[in-house]
């Protein structure tokens, strides 16, 4: 069995390796949006009285929904 050499990327590493300019649009958009007011508004409607104690924060879920809409992503039907 051979081990990968130091510095060699695995298949997973290669698939997610950052390419130049890959997320520049998202970085610029994140800088333009004031996330704090959205986070406060979402916290007001979020009730974690029941369910998993380690659920995702509401702002993270909101950002996921935005990405889903912007990039036309969906679960298989």
């Amino acid at each position: 069995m051979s081990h990968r050499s130091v510095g060699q990327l695995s298949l997973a590493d290669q698939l997610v390796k950052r390419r130049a300019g890959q997320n520049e649009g998202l970085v610029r958009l994140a800088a333009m949006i004031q996330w704090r007011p959205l986070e406060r508004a979402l916290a007001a409607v979020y009730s974690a009285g029941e369910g998993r104690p380690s659920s995702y924060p509401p702002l993270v879920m909101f950002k996921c929904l935005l990405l889903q809409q912007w990039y036309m992503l969906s679960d298989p039907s």
Side-chain angles (χ1 to χ4, degrees), residues 2-74:
S2 66
H3 297 282
R4 70 182 179 139
S5 64
V6 175
Q8 178 183 3
L9 297 176
S10 70
L11 175 61
D13 293 333
Q14 188 67 1
L15 290 174
V16 297
K17 183 176 87 174
R18 177 166 164 70
R19 293 182 276 285
Q22 181 178 359
N23 290 319
E24 285 180 18
L26 292 176
V27 171
R28 283 194 321 257
L29 185 63
M32 291 187 305
I33 297 175
Q34 294 182 4
W35 294 108
R36 203 48 118 173
L38 283 170
E39 188 172 28
R40 283 193 298 267
L42 292 169
V45 296
Y46 179 71
S47 63
E50 296 181 18
R52 293 187 69 183
S54 60
S55 62
Y56 292 103
L59 184 60
V60 170
M61 295 304 295
F62 181 72
K63 288 178 178 182
C64 289
L65 290 172
L66 290 177
L67 290 172
Q68 180 182 13
Q69 288 298 309
W70 294 338
Y71 291 96
M72 295 179 282
L73 303 172
S74 68

